[in-house]
Amino acid sequence: MIPSPLLAEYRSRYRTIYDRADLYIPFFERSLSLLTKSGCLGFICADRWMKNRYGGPLRNLISEQFHLKICVDMVDTPAFHSDVIAYPAITVITREAPGATRIAYSPTIDQSTLATLAEMLRVEPFQKHSMVRELAQVPNGAEPWLLGAADQMLLIRRLEQAFPSLEEAGCKVGIGVATGADKAFIGNFDALDVESDRKLPLVTTKDIRSGEVVWQGKGVINPFSDGGGLVDLRDYPRLQSYLETRREVIANRHCAQRLPNNWYRTIDRITPALAQQPKLLIPDIKGEAHIVFEEGKLYPHHNLYYITSDEWELRALQAVMLSAISRLFVATYSTKMHGGFLRFQAQYLRRIRIPLWANVPQVLRVELAEAALKLDTQRCNHAVFKLYDLSDEERAVICGNGE
């Protein structure tokens, strides 16, 4: 929403603006720069920057030059008069040598509780209390801030040291196509009046609600040639007619106004070979992992993330992704939404650690695949816990009873 010239000026002045950063990121940087020695900055602000991609440079700045003294996580706290989708956090950052961070979670909103909490957050020396605990090294360069239970953080760190990331193990994470004008580019596959090689069957979140693919018959227009550039519309008269009748909507998009000669491209390039690849499909916002196997017939829509692999057998990988281990990784790194929902975005999925496929015993490969075929999360957990060689204590950390 920031005009391009103004955004360019912000970027020239503030090094923390990165990717799709909100305006509060440079506001943090500017405010921190004004602190004198031992100066203190307290903000109530959306918590997304603490974990997501665009908050990395700001986290790094705080790690290098400041002390995150207090953090109050307001997830699931009714801090506003109306319901909200995302939650705030209270941070107190000082221009002091780095040290331990005092953390509180989801405090009850009443005067007595908050008064006690305020005292416990500030008292010196630190006193153990049911509402507050201390964690060392919360800021760690540009890494996301891990504010969860200490035993879960220890397990996450052990797995990160022991196993490669999802993509290092030969699995590719991506997101489906964004068109910028779905009503023009997407419709019933059979009714899309274009040449047969200019459309692809499309899979959306509605097609995978049951946990398996039940295609509803949608399709997407593909304006790209196999070589990667846009097709010449003169070679495709039906496609040209279809697009021209919808030109006003298509050409009004920002990407089309920026490159008028390419007015009919989708925002994302479409690669037809992806439709033919077996893949795992993952909706973005879910309370639990919803991982669906697609055999290689459909192209994913932009509200679906996908995983493909030439290394891992996808049914076995589905069991891992359905397990409590994967949810722990996503819950640790993802911001939490209203109702306890998590963001199963690529940046968080890539944080998941898995063994190399070559190191998975044959009997365990079969066990993982069979558990996934039955969509039995309990069986997935049992197989995955063996895959990671979790101790009884580590299983309890994840599931309480190891189930």
Side-chain angles (χ1 to χ4, degrees):
M1 295 173 64
I2 304 173
S4 295
L6 181 57
L7 183 59
E9 183 66 22
Y10 275 124
R11 289 188 187 279
S12 71
R13 295 192 189 193
Y14 299 104
R15 64 187 178 97
T16 56
I17 299 184
Y18 172 66
D19 199 44
R20 297 171 59 86
D22 286 339
L23 190 59
Y24 65 74
I25 295 296
F27 194 79
F28 258 102
E29 180 182 342
R30 174 64 173 160
S31 302
L32 290 169
S33 73
L34 298 174
L35 293 183
T36 58
K37 186 176 180 180
S38 300
C40 182
L41 172 68
F43 269 167
I44 304 173
C45 185
D47 66 358
R48 296 182 181 185
W49 69 277
M50 298 178 182
K51 292 187 176 182
N52 69 10
R53 177 181 169 86
Y54 70 64
L58 177 57
R59 294 192 299 270
N60 191 58
L61 174 68
I62 293 168
S63 177
E64 290 179 344
Q65 301 182 28
F66 299 91
H67 174 204
L68 175 63
K69 198 166 188 176
I70 292 172
C71 182
V72 182
D73 188 342
M74 303 289 281
V75 169
D76 290 327
T77 303
F80 301 103
H81 290 295
S82 57
D83 288 336
V84 295
I85 296 175
Y87 293 103
I90 301 170
T91 52
V92 177
I93 304 168
T94 64
R95 191 184 284 278
E96 297 173 333
T101 302
R102 295 189 184 180
I103 301 175
Y105 303 93
S106 308
T108 302
I109 307 298
D110 66 63
Q111 186 171 348
S112 175
T113 300
L114 295 179
T116 302
L117 176 60
E119 180 180 354
M120 291 299 103
L121 287 169
R122 294 180 296 175
V123 67
E124 294 294 347
F126 174 68
Q127 299 175 10
K128 288 187 177 181
H129 191 275
S130 60
M131 286 193 292
V132 180
R133 60 189 183 86
E134 276 196 336
L135 277 182
Q137 295 182 312
V138 172
N140 179 26
E143 287 294 297
W145 289 355
L146 305 187
L147 305 172
D151 51 2
Q152 291 185 344
M153 296 306 100
L154 285 173
L155 175 56
I156 286 286
R157 293 304 186 208
R158 183 183 80 75
L159 296 177
E160 287 178 336
Q161 291 174 4
F163 300 103
S165 68
L166 197 60
E167 292 197 323
E168 289 170 343
C171 304
K172 178 185 175 183
V173 181
I175 189 171
V177 60
T179 69
D182 281 0
K183 290 184 178 179
F185 285 101
I186 294 173
N188 291 328
F189 182 80
D190 292 336
L192 291 172
D193 188 15
V194 298
E195 288 78 5
S196 61
D197 63 340
R198 292 299 96 208
K199 59 183 179 180
L200 292 164
L202 186 75
V203 58
T204 71
T205 54
K206 292 181 179 179
D207 300 312
I208 63 171
R209 284 176 178 170
S210 67
E212 297 180 350
V213 177
V214 182
W215 186 47
Q216 305 294 308
K218 294 293 184 182
V220 62
I221 299 294
N222 177 19
F224 292 92
S225 67
D226 291 343
L230 291 169
V231 297
D232 189 333
L233 293 181
R234 292 172 296 183
D235 296 333
Y236 292 92
R238 289 169 61 191
L239 175 64
Q240 183 176 33
S241 175
Y242 179 94
L243 294 172
E244 288 289 354
T245 60
R246 296 159 178 80
R247 182 167 187 144
E248 183 176 354
V249 172
I250 297 173
N252 197 42
R253 299 169 302 152
H254 175 71
C255 63
Q257 293 177 351
R258 188 162 44 87
L259 297 169
N261 291 336
N262 295 343
W263 65 273
Y264 56 96
R265 66 161 291 152
T266 52
I267 292 176
D268 297 327
R269 179 172 175 258
I270 293 176
T271 307
L274 175 59
Q276 299 166 14
Q277 280 186 279
K279 61 191 78 71
L280 300 179
L281 300 172
I282 309 165
D284 180 358
I285 303 177
K286 281 287 180 181
E288 299 292 339
H290 189 77
I291 317 294
V292 179
F293 176 79
E294 196 280 304
E295 61 184 329
K297 294 182 178 179
L298 305 171
Y299 204 91
H301 191 221
H302 70 85
N303 52 12
L304 288 173
Y305 292 90
Y306 65 84
I307 301 174
T308 59
S309 181
D310 293 327
E311 299 289 333
W312 265 76
E313 198 279 308
L314 284 184
R315 281 295 188 184
L317 182 62
Q318 184 183 16
V320 177
M321 299 303 297
L322 284 168
S323 74
I325 285 276
S326 291
R327 191 187 190 283
L328 176 63
F329 271 98
V330 174
T332 297
Y333 284 103
S334 165
T335 52
K336 292 182 176 62
M337 312 298 287
H338 177 66
F341 288 92
L342 301 173
R343 303 300 303 271
F344 285 81
Q345 295 177 321
Q347 61 179 311
Y348 307 129
L349 295 171
R350 292 188 178 110
R351 291 277 178 178
I352 296 171
R353 300 298 177 118
I354 60 172
L356 296 174
W357 180 244
N359 295 337
V360 181
Q362 180 61 35
V363 65
L364 197 49
R365 294 181 179 188
V366 173
E367 188 175 347
L368 288 165
E370 289 180 348
L373 279 167
K374 295 182 181 298
L375 297 178
D376 187 330
T377 54
Q378 184 172 325
R379 288 184 62 181
C380 288
N381 279 340
H382 280 302
V384 170
F385 291 166
K386 286 189 280 185
L387 177 70
Y388 288 87
D389 193 25
L390 298 190
S391 67
D392 290 342
E393 292 78 11
E394 290 174 328
R395 297 180 186 211
V397 164
I398 298 176
C399 297
N401 59 0
E403 295 297 309

